[in-house]
Amino acid sequence: MLRIAVIGAGRIGQVHARTIAAHPRAELALVCDPAQGAAKDLADLHGARSCQDVEEVFSDPAIDAVIVGSPTPLHIPHLLAAAKAGKAVLCEKPIALDMRDVEEARTDLDAVGVPVMFGFNRRFDPSFAAVHAAVEAGRIGDLEQLTIISRDPAAPPLEYVKVSGGIFRDMTIHDFDTARFFLGDIIEVHAVGQNLDPAIEEAGDFDAAVVTLRAASGAVATIINNRHCASGYDQRLEASGRDGALLAENIRPTTVRLSNAEITDAQEPYLDFFLERYADAYRLELSAFIEAVEEGTTPPTSIADAIEALRLAEAATESARSGRPVRLG
């Protein structure tokens, strides 16, 4: 039984706490958040302890592992403090808001000696994982094109947008990791940002984007993002190869279809948001983390993966603002 502390009692902390509490090989031992009420409420919900001071997490000998769900600027400091205390770490994305922060901490990050995994949960989505397994098995021949569609039902609050680091670091970061998962090394990024929401434009960000990634293999990925989607949480993936194609479609609450005199094959809307759509992915992600800790193996999403995803996000930001592709050395 892995005794886990969660740092951060916000939305993502609540997801992790719920996932830990339901897992047969994990125990939610501690919830930490500077907001005492938030930490206590979440801990009480799952029968755990709570604290406000993050140092209590790192110094507690009863804690085996830490999930870092704190604000992004604290990801590296909290990751390193947990690792120094000998605790395994599952850290949310992105690793930082700026590659300069990564470079400043590079020596310490390279010296980490405990299992560290990053929260790129899309790799663990059963449908996306099945497509990846089929590609690896050669079911469609050499992969030539990958299309990733990710549209949110609605934009986050403007206050969040202002501190998120921008759409490419906050939203597309998952898709960058998915593209690398399928294609390997990326050598060129070309991004086109869209300003469809005046409020988000005033905040200095894009609320939609199309990104093209060229891999060293010659394969190309296209990522389509939007902060709003009238039909719900639109999450699709298509892998096309020389000998065929694989598609992962949206998930709905049921498989029921309605046909009548006015409409045929009508279905329910897509699942509303990532909490529902990726519930299985979070559970499988946690299982992979526990397995890596228990068996002493390398976690499937590493510090290096997190750094590369951030590097792609920065290249996409540069490309969208300059209008030119960015080559990666």
Side-chain angles (χ1 to χ4, degrees):
M1 183 74 69
L2 198 69
R3 295 165 298 182
I4 303 175
V6 172
I7 300 175
R11 186 172 64 180
I12 196 63
Q14 294 169 28
V15 172
H16 285 298
R18 182 173 60 199
T19 305
I20 295 166
H23 200 286
R25 289 155 57 200
E27 175 191 343
L28 179 63
L30 183 61
V31 176
C32 181
D33 195 289
Q36 182 179 12
K40 186 177 186 304
D41 288 348
L42 183 57
D44 288 350
L45 183 63
H46 299 292
R49 295 180 292 117
S50 65
C51 68
Q52 291 176 267
D53 185 353
V54 73
E55 294 303 323
E56 292 185 37
V57 174
F58 307 135
S59 63
D60 190 337
I63 301 300
D64 302 312
V66 176
I67 292 183
V68 177
S70 47
T72 300
L74 296 174
H75 285 181
I76 290 179
H78 286 170
L79 183 165
L80 291 176
K84 185 177 180 180
K87 304 180 191 305
V89 180
L90 172 57
C91 185
E92 268 304 323
K93 57 77 190 170
I95 187 171
L97 290 178
D98 197 307
M99 278 295 296
R100 287 175 293 188
D101 297 328
V102 173
E103 295 305 329
E104 288 175 3
R106 179 80 73 161
T107 300
D108 291 332
L109 290 170
D110 289 344
V112 168
V114 299
V116 174
M117 181 169 160
F118 269 82
F120 292 117
N121 65 299
R122 309 281 171 89
R123 293 196 188 200
F124 303 95
D125 174 73
S127 296
F128 293 173
V131 171
H132 183 265
V135 170
E136 291 294 294
R139 296 292 301 276
I140 60 171
D142 293 336
L143 182 60
E144 297 172 343
Q145 296 174 325
L146 180 73
T147 303
I148 303 167
I149 297 173
S150 179
R151 299 184 177 104
D152 287 349
L158 199 58
E159 293 73 20
Y160 175 84
V161 170
K162 291 177 180 177
V163 299
S164 69
I167 189 172
F168 299 115
R169 291 175 180 84
D170 175 55
M171 182 178 180
T172 324
I173 197 90
H174 278 295
D175 306 313
F176 289 140
D177 182 71
T178 301
R180 291 187 64 251
F181 186 43
F182 277 86
L183 303 183
D185 291 338
I186 304 299
I187 61 173
E188 186 177 270
V189 179
H190 190 191
V192 176
Q194 294 177 272
N195 288 120
L196 309 173
D197 184 331
I200 292 179
E201 182 176 12
E202 282 185 25
D205 195 13
F206 303 109
D207 53 299
V210 176
V211 184
T212 302
L213 307 175
R214 186 157 61 91
S217 66
V220 172
T222 303
I223 299 170
I224 301 171
N225 287 158
N226 202 317
R227 288 291 200 184
H228 64 264
C229 179
S231 52
Y233 194 40
D234 189 7
Q235 301 288 293
R236 289 174 281 160
L237 184 147
E238 178 192 87
S240 178
R242 180 189 61 233
D243 301 327
L246 295 153
L247 290 86
E249 297 287 357
N250 278 302
I251 297 176
R252 295 172 169 84
T254 72
T255 60
V256 174
R257 298 183 183 217
L258 168 66
S259 295
N260 58 26
E262 298 176 350
I263 196 167
T264 60
D265 283 339
Q267 295 181 266
E268 295 174 272
Y270 310 143
L271 291 178
D272 187 55
F273 206 34
F274 77 95
L275 304 179
E276 297 82 17
R277 171 62 179 82
Y278 287 113
D280 285 341
Y282 281 110
R283 175 179 55 81
L284 294 168
E285 175 187 71
L286 180 61
S287 293
F289 175 61
I290 293 171
E291 182 177 330
V293 175
E294 290 179 341
E295 299 183 4
T297 56
T298 302
T301 54
S302 66
I303 292 175
D305 290 318
I307 292 172
E308 287 305 305
L310 179 59
R311 197 160 72 101
L312 292 176
E314 292 205 343
T317 302
E318 178 185 343
S319 176
R321 302 212 179 278
S322 70
R324 296 188 298 272
V326 173
R327 292 276 302 183
L328 300 176

